[in-house]
Amino acid sequence: MKAIYLDNNATTRVDPAVVDAMLPFFTEHFGNASSAHSFGAEVGTAVKAARQQLQQLLGAAHDHEIIYTSGGTESDNAAILSALEALPDRNEIVTSKVEHPAILSLCEHLEKTGRAKVHFIGVDKVGQLDIDAYRAALSDKVAVVSLMWANNETGTIFPVEGLAELAKEHGALFHTDAVQAAGKTPISLKDSAIDMLSLSGHKLHGPKGIGALYVKKGARFKPLIRGGHQERARRGGTENVPAIIGLGKAAELALQHMAEEQGRVRELRDRLEKAVLQRVPNCIVNGDRHDRLPNTSNIAFEYVESEAILLHLNRSGVAASSGSACTSGSMEPSHVLKAMEIPEAALHGAVRFSFSRDNVAEDVDRVVEALPGVVEKLREMSPFWADAEKKTNDSKPVFA
Ligand SMILES: *Cc1c(COP(=O)(O)O)cnc(C)c1O
């Protein structure tokens, strides 16, 4: 039985065309891009071509606005730390409660060590930013605003272009973590107020350990990693050439497939949600139904533990995720769903299904076949479910 992979927000399969593009850069074209001889020059040209592929994906004005990094986490850290250093008379950060740990744990650390005051803006029930609280937090003390383009757990999309305009009114730099958005939804940075943007190779069918930080021409930037003059002295270290070539190819393919894949993947996702809501009582679709990544579905099943669902799904050959980290057996509910204040009974039962261009209709069928039985069996063992069933006596589906 073929295993079904529906955890593409965690990582994606490297596209075989990406691997093909990378391979010659391990052996044939092994030069150092900074070298003055021909071995270096041919590699330098390929590294620049990859930068242009990223420029295209992001609709950026110049290819040199792209800085290669080791991935989304480094890009996020570089953006925030750069802003604090570049605007030394400002020491506040505005971010949200639903960011990826690459932003949240850095911000918590900066706050704890007294290096910054951080405003963690809340969200509503569908995961949209509290705009009033955001406006209230902005001032001329804010060095940087960091708000994600699309949420990795729910797929909810923030209106980052507008949010960036507001930040600009206060002279703050605006960074967006677009690791989940890049390659899945159109991005055009040329005329936007967005100063910095993070993306990661392995979330868009490229290799792991490579990413990029877009820094708008003219935006102030201080490097996180100092060393040689690579990346116009904005990120030291010999370029990870094969990975860079792979990232460029992945960006090209993502852009090429985007228009078609958005609709195709949305159809798969919507079919899954419709079938699950029809067949499984007491479940909620989390996230913004209107402004949401087409590939992401987060469904919370009341009175069941998501880890138990995932275990049983895995036995049926379906790989999904709870979207939140499990530490030594004790399940902390997701910080994203907590911030959305989803009902307590559903907080521990969220399952994230995330699609990619590798998924097909049969994958949905397999989930729809397996899931209702799994949830029913687990609920039969739950005393809370027995109580809830008695109270409601009709177990109609709950719609978000
Ligand atoms: C995966 C992810 C990251 C981290 O990217 P890495 O390349 O794995 O370091 C950051 N932000 C979001 C939203 C992500 O989904």
Side-chain angles (χ1 to χ4, degrees), residues 20 38 46 56 94 103 127 145 173 186 190 201 233 249 254 261 263 302 310 324 392:
D20 286 346
S38 60
Q56 294 281 316
V94 176
I103 291 290
V145 173
L173 289 163
K190 240 186 328 266
K249 187 68 188 174
E261 278 301 302
E302 290 187 341
L310 294 172
S324 65
T392 54

Side-chain angles (χ1 to χ4, degrees), residues 9 71-74 76 100 102 148 150 152 177 179-180 200 202-203:
N9 284 12
T73 302
E74 184 190 321
D76 284 350
H100 188 273
M148 67 204 314
N152 46 300
D177 176 337
V179 171
Q180 291 295 342
S200 171
H202 73 100
K203 302 286 174 78

Side-chain angles (χ1 to χ4, degrees), residues 67 73-90 92-93 103 106 110 115 143-145 173-175 195-197 213-216 218-226 233-235:
I67 303 172
T73 302
E74 184 190 321
S75 295
D76 284 350
N77 275 258
I80 302 271
L81 293 170
S82 163
L84 287 178
E85 202 183 324
L87 292 108
D89 50 343
R90 296 167 175 242
E92 294 188 12
I93 299 170
I103 291 290
L106 172 66
L110 290 171
R115 287 159 72 193
V144 63
V145 173
L173 289 163
F174 188 92
H175 165 257
D195 296 296
M196 293 181 279
L197 175 146
L213 178 66
Y214 159 91
V215 180
K216 195 182 243 358
R220 299 175 59 188
F221 184 76
K222 299 282 182 186
L224 173 66
I225 295 175
R226 288 165 191 279
R234 292 169 303 177
R235 205 277 191 180

Side-chain angles (χ1 to χ4, degrees), residues 95-96 98-100 146-153 156-160 163 174-178 180:
T95 186
S96 82
V98 298
E99 298 296 312
H100 188 273
S146 182
L147 293 167
M148 67 204 314
W149 198 304
N151 189 273
N152 46 300
E153 291 189 29
T156 293
I157 293 175
F158 281 166
V160 281
L163 299 171
F174 188 92
H175 165 257
T176 182
D177 176 337
Q180 291 295 342

